Amino acid sequence: MSTRVAILISGGGSNMVALARSMTGDHPARPVLVLSNRPDAGGLDKARALDIPTDFVDHRPFGQDRASFDDALQARLAEAAPDLICCAGFMRILTAGFVETWTGRMLNIHPSLLPKYRGLNTHARALAAGDAEHGCTVHLVTPELDDGPILGQARVPVQDRDTAETLAARVLEMEHRLYPAVLRRFVDGETAPLCLP
Ligand code: GRF
């Protein structure tokens, strides 16, 4: 039986598309739900075009009540009965209670070489620091933001003329390679960190 994967998104969903496209043929996993916290996330249309069930739980009516939002997310996930969750550009901070429900079964991609630059604006921060290389990380989700055991990293050289936008675009290309590669290994039981390129 295939490993059932739910993908959480907030935006354009390019990482979701890369993951979904990888889960075909002899891949041991299949996408069973793409779930967004934004009804207008561009990734929802892309998932529908790939024939993946979609839904959203709009975070806005919940205001500051993160626990109730996470309960609603959990209820929708339970219907899809995933074995694993992949956060792919999912821009909500999850409560410890939710994260603990999925310990060891929830992955995230972050656009920096963790432990550097947790949080937002990672590309601008790498440039401001004068870093020679930047990149992205796939890790298991733990209650601390952008923390948790690292499952894979991809390095991207910083170029003299890079702006945050040009650097972000090259990192995103690597995200699309790294995340499917790590997911495949993870489903096969491999948790030793993968290093790309
Ligand atoms: C990616 O860079 C991801 O790492 C970050 O947000 C971006 C989302 O892109 N957290 P997409 O929605 O997968 O296109």
Side-chain angles (χ1 to χ4, degrees):
M1 238 175 54
S2 294
T3 299
R4 299 170 65 81
V5 178
I7 306 175
L8 300 184
I9 64 167
S10 298
S14 67
N15 277 295
M16 175 279 296
V17 169
L19 288 171
R21 286 203 177 127
S22 75
M23 286 186 263
T24 55
D26 68 355
H27 198 293
R30 289 291 183 272
V32 296
L33 177 67
V34 172
L35 185 57
S36 172
N37 64 304
R38 307 189 77 97
D40 58 350
L44 290 175
D45 282 340
K46 292 176 190 160
R48 285 181 204 113
L50 291 166
D51 284 329
I52 304 167
T54 64
D55 207 347
F56 61 83
V57 179
D58 190 342
H59 66 275
R60 288 169 298 187
F62 295 92
Q64 299 301 309
D65 188 355
R66 289 186 187 277
S68 295
F69 170 73
D70 286 4
D71 287 347
L73 208 59
Q74 176 62 30
R76 184 59 189 89
L77 284 166
E79 288 171 31
D83 302 299
L84 291 180
I85 298 177
C86 288
C87 299
F90 183 67
M91 303 303 283
R92 299 295 299 169
I93 294 175
L94 296 162
T95 58
F98 181 92
V99 171
E100 277 154 17
T101 302
W102 292 96
T103 298
R105 298 183 295 150
M106 180 157 51
L107 283 61
N108 181 46
I109 189 155
H110 182 73
S112 79
L113 294 173
L114 291 172
K116 280 188 160 185
Y117 312 129
R118 296 185 171 102
L120 298 174
N121 303 320
T122 59
H123 311 297
R125 288 157 69 196
L127 287 177
D131 290 355
E133 62 176 11
H134 184 44
C136 50
T137 302
V138 176
H139 63 96
L140 281 166
V141 178
T142 54
E144 287 298 311
L145 181 68
D146 299 329
D147 203 1
I150 289 175
L151 298 172
Q153 290 191 309
R155 291 168 194 282
V156 173
V158 176
Q159 295 171 1
D160 285 346
R161 278 183 289 177
D162 264 329
T163 62
E165 289 71 30
T166 59
L167 187 53
R170 292 207 312 289
V171 170
L172 191 60
E173 278 176 30
M174 290 305 286
E175 292 181 43
H176 298 161
R177 287 176 52 192
L178 180 69
Y179 210 173
V182 169
L183 175 64
R184 175 78 200 231
R185 284 161 50 102
F186 188 78
V187 172
D188 287 336
E190 178 62 75
T191 54
L194 171 69
C195 287
L196 293 182

